């Protein structure tokens, strides 16, 4: 049974628009061109591979600061170690394409992972009941905005591919244990099931399946997977550990809001029903980030220690509401908000709706009332 109102995200690409807010590089002329990448229907990793192939340069010479959704229209900065002057477009289908702008500057270093401040989101939330749409709209008061605190979970994009069983964390767990053959077996099983269900399979996983099914040894086929993707698998496992640790801390507060049903990658994770929990929840937890694969002189994966906050706050701006033309008899809501780097809009939306629908309107202050108390 669902713990929140029914709703639909990403029904069509323009329902989910993301713009990266980048951290500007140090101004210096160099070998790296910086440009804007706009894409749809592709992961960032796939887009970087396509760009490198188009320009005839190694994949290592194309980089981005963060990963953006494939089921969306996204814009982000990329760095290219290439001499090119004109914008270009690569089209793989009506809703699968990328565009790279002309260079906006040249710098002496590539764009490093994490070199961004956050992301802006313009979303259309579809399939809402009239009551859910009204409750969400009411929270904005006359100013059409409200503050939302969100448990900062890694969401489903971190744990799988569309149509899969979301087992990238299991692949990564095997890699971190040094069991590459087990990692290959899990990836083959998961991706094969996704193919059988008609899921959209990223190109590297599709090639891996084709290689193994054609008789190539699974270790050799897995070795053909890019280092970026293998590091992503390892990061997925560590992100799952972080989610479980955070869910335990949330449970200890006693102010619980169940978030996800069985079958979801975050099933068992919890939200907060009141501000009391904020004071008792740890500010954050350490997190390990894989940055380099094992080598002969370094048999273990190279890790970097980081820190991730347990709570992120955002201000939700309500843009418009009305009947949903895609789901007759239902309603849609258009919103805008910003999240810091590494936070997930899908998790924020789910917790926003869950919190709204489990709190009586009479018990919930409006934005105007909150402002009056603050004054």
């Amino acid at each position: 049974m669902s713990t929140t109102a029914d709703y639909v995200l990403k029904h069509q690409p323009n329902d989910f628009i993301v713009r990266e807010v980048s951290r500007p590089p140090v101004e210096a002329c160099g070998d790296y061109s910086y440009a804007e990448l706009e894409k749809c229907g592709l992961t960032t990793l796939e887009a970087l591979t396509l760009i490198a192939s188009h320009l005839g340069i190694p994949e290592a010479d194309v980089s981005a600061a963060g990963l953006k959704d494939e089921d969306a229209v996204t814009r982000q900065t990329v760095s290219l170690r290439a001499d090119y002057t004109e914008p270009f477009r690569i089209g793989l289908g009506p809703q699968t394409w990328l565009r790279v702008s002309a260079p906006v500057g040249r710098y002496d270093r590539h764009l490093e992972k994490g070199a961004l401040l956050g992301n802006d989101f313009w979303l259309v939330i579809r399939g809402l009941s009239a009551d859910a749409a009204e409750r969400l709209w009411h929270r904005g008061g006359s100013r059409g905005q409200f503050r939302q605190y969100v448990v900062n979970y890694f969401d489903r994009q971190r744990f799988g591919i569309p149509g899969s069983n979301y087992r990238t964390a299991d692949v990564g767990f095997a890699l971190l244990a040094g069991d590459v053959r087990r990692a290959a077996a899990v990836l083959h099983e998961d991706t094969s099931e996704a193919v059988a269900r008609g899921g959209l399979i990223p190109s590297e996983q599709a090639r891996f399946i084709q290689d193994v099914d054609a008789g190539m040894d699974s270790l050799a086929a897995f070795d053909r997977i890019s280092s970026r993707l293998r590091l992503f698998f390892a990061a997925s496992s560590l992100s799952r550990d972080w989610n479980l640790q955070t869910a335990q801390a949330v449970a200890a507060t006693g102010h619980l809001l169940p978030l996800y049903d069985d079958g979801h990658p975050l099933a068992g994770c919890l939200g907060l029903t009141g501000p009391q929990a904020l004071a008792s929840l740890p500010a954050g937890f350490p997190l390990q980030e894989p940055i380099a694969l094992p080598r002969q002189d370094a048999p273990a994966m190279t890790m970097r220690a980081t820190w991730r906050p347990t709570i992120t706050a955002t201000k939700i701006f309500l843009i418009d509401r009305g009947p949903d033309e895609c789901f007759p008899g239902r309603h849609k809501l258009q919103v805008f908000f910003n999240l810091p780097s590494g936070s997930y809009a899908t998790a924020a939306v789910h917790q926003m709706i869950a919190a709204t629908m489990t709190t009586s309107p009479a018990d919930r202050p409006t934005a105007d009332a909150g402002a009056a108390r603050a004054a």
Side-chain angles (χ1 to χ4, degrees), residues 175 225-228 230-231 234 291-295 298-302:
L175 284 179
I225 293 175
S226 69
S227 60
R228 281 181 173 137
R230 281 179 282 167
L231 289 172
I291 58 174
L293 297 172
R295 307 184 307 271
M301 195 169 290
T302 304

Side-chain angles (χ1 to χ4, degrees), residues 88-161:
F88 60 90
R89 183 183 189 276
I90 301 173
L92 302 178
Q95 294 186 348
T96 308
W97 50 265
L98 68 83
R99 286 193 290 259
V100 176
S101 73
V104 297
R106 293 186 66 85
Y107 301 94
D108 61 357
R109 64 183 65 185
H110 71 278
L111 187 60
E112 296 181 354
K113 183 179 178 181
L116 65 156
L117 302 176
N119 296 284
D120 291 335
F121 298 90
W122 290 264
L123 308 184
V124 180
I125 306 171
R126 296 188 179 275
L128 292 164
S129 68
D131 177 59
E134 178 64 25
R135 286 185 179 222
L136 287 161
W137 191 260
H138 175 79
R139 284 189 67 183
S142 61
R143 293 191 298 174
Q145 57 185 262
F146 61 91
R147 184 164 292 278
Q148 178 70 44
Y149 293 95
V150 179
V151 181
N152 197 24
Y153 291 123
F154 292 94
D155 210 339
R156 65 174 72 210
Q157 301 97 308
R158 193 70 162 177
F159 303 108
I161 56 178

Side-chain angles (χ1 to χ4, degrees), residues 1-16:
M1 184 177 189
S2 177
T3 57
T4 186
D6 291 332
Y7 69 95
V8 177
L9 279 181
K10 304 180 181 180
H11 179 66
Q12 51 197 24
N14 282 331
D15 286 349
F16 203 96

Side-chain angles (χ1 to χ4, degrees), residues 58-70:
E59 286 190 34
D61 286 348
V62 187
S63 61
L67 304 179
K68 301 289 177 284
D69 289 332
E70 63 185 295

Side-chain angles (χ1 to χ4, degrees), residues 41-364:
L42 295 163
T43 67
T44 300
L45 298 180
E46 287 184 300
L48 299 182
T49 297
L50 288 170
I51 291 169
S53 177
H54 178 82
L55 295 174
I57 59 177
E59 286 190 34
D61 286 348
V62 187
S63 61
L67 304 179
K68 301 289 177 284
D69 289 332
E70 63 185 295
D71 301 317
V73 176
T74 70
R75 301 180 182 97
Q76 65 188 118
T77 303
V78 292
S79 65
L80 317 167
R81 193 173 190 178
D83 290 321
Y84 85 104
T85 57
E86 298 296 325
F88 60 90
R89 183 183 189 276
I90 301 173
L92 302 178
Q95 294 186 348
T96 308
W97 50 265
L98 68 83
R99 286 193 290 259
V100 176
S101 73
V104 297
R106 293 186 66 85
Y107 301 94
D108 61 357
R109 64 183 65 185
H110 71 278
L111 187 60
E112 296 181 354
K113 183 179 178 181
L116 65 156
L117 302 176
N119 296 284
D120 291 335
F121 298 90
W122 290 264
L123 308 184
V124 180
I125 306 171
R126 296 188 179 275
L128 292 164
S129 68
D131 177 59
E134 178 64 25
R135 286 185 179 222
L136 287 161
W137 191 260
H138 175 79
R139 284 189 67 183
S142 61
R143 293 191 298 174
Q145 57 185 262
F146 61 91
R147 184 164 292 278
Q148 178 70 44
Y149 293 95
V150 179
V151 181
N152 197 24
Y153 291 123
F154 292 94
D155 210 339
R156 65 174 72 210
Q157 301 97 308
R158 193 70 162 177
F159 303 108
I161 56 178
S164 80
N165 293 325
Y166 298 99
R167 295 181 65 195
T168 58
D170 294 332
V171 178
F173 182 82
L175 284 179
L176 290 168
D179 191 348
V180 181
R181 190 168 292 280
R182 172 61 182 164
V186 173
L187 182 61
H188 186 272
E189 179 184 354
D190 190 37
T191 311
S192 295
E193 291 182 13
V195 169
R197 290 197 300 271
L200 177 64
I201 309 301
S203 57
E204 285 201 82
Q205 284 97 315
R207 185 186 66 188
F208 169 77
I209 288 291
Q210 292 167 0
D211 288 343
V212 174
D213 290 349
M216 182 181 291
D217 180 77
S218 62
L219 288 182
F222 194 87
D223 192 56
R224 295 185 66 195
I225 293 175
S226 69
S227 60
R228 281 181 173 137
L229 184 55
R230 281 179 282 167
L231 289 172
F232 172 78
F233 290 148
S236 176
S237 176
L238 296 167
S239 299
R240 180 174 61 184
D241 293 343
W242 192 96
N243 275 3
L244 294 175
Q245 182 180 24
T246 302
Q248 290 173 354
V250 173
T253 69
H255 303 277
L256 304 182
L257 175 66
L259 291 180
Y260 298 97
D261 303 326
D262 291 343
H264 190 282
L266 301 188
C269 290
L270 302 165
L272 307 175
T273 57
Q276 304 96 324
L278 296 175
S280 56
L281 195 67
F285 294 114
L287 178 68
Q288 291 292 312
E289 179 183 15
I291 58 174
L293 297 172
R295 307 184 307 271
Q296 284 188 340
D297 58 339
M301 195 169 290
T302 304
M303 312 291 275
R304 175 170 60 196
T306 61
W307 186 87
R308 182 178 176 87
T310 54
I311 295 289
T312 188
T314 186
K315 185 174 286 186
I316 308 292
F317 293 87
L318 304 170
I319 300 172
D320 196 11
R321 64 171 173 167
D324 189 341
E325 71 280 6
C326 295
F327 298 92
R330 309 294 286 182
H331 293 257
K332 67 180 180 181
L333 183 69
Q334 294 176 269
V335 301
F336 166 83
F337 54 91
N338 174 277
L339 289 174
S341 172
S343 297
Y344 286 76
T346 46
V349 168
H350 193 91
Q351 293 181 57
M352 173 188 75
I353 294 176
T356 300
M357 298 307 295
T358 54
T359 305
S360 167
D363 297 334
R364 185 175 57 250

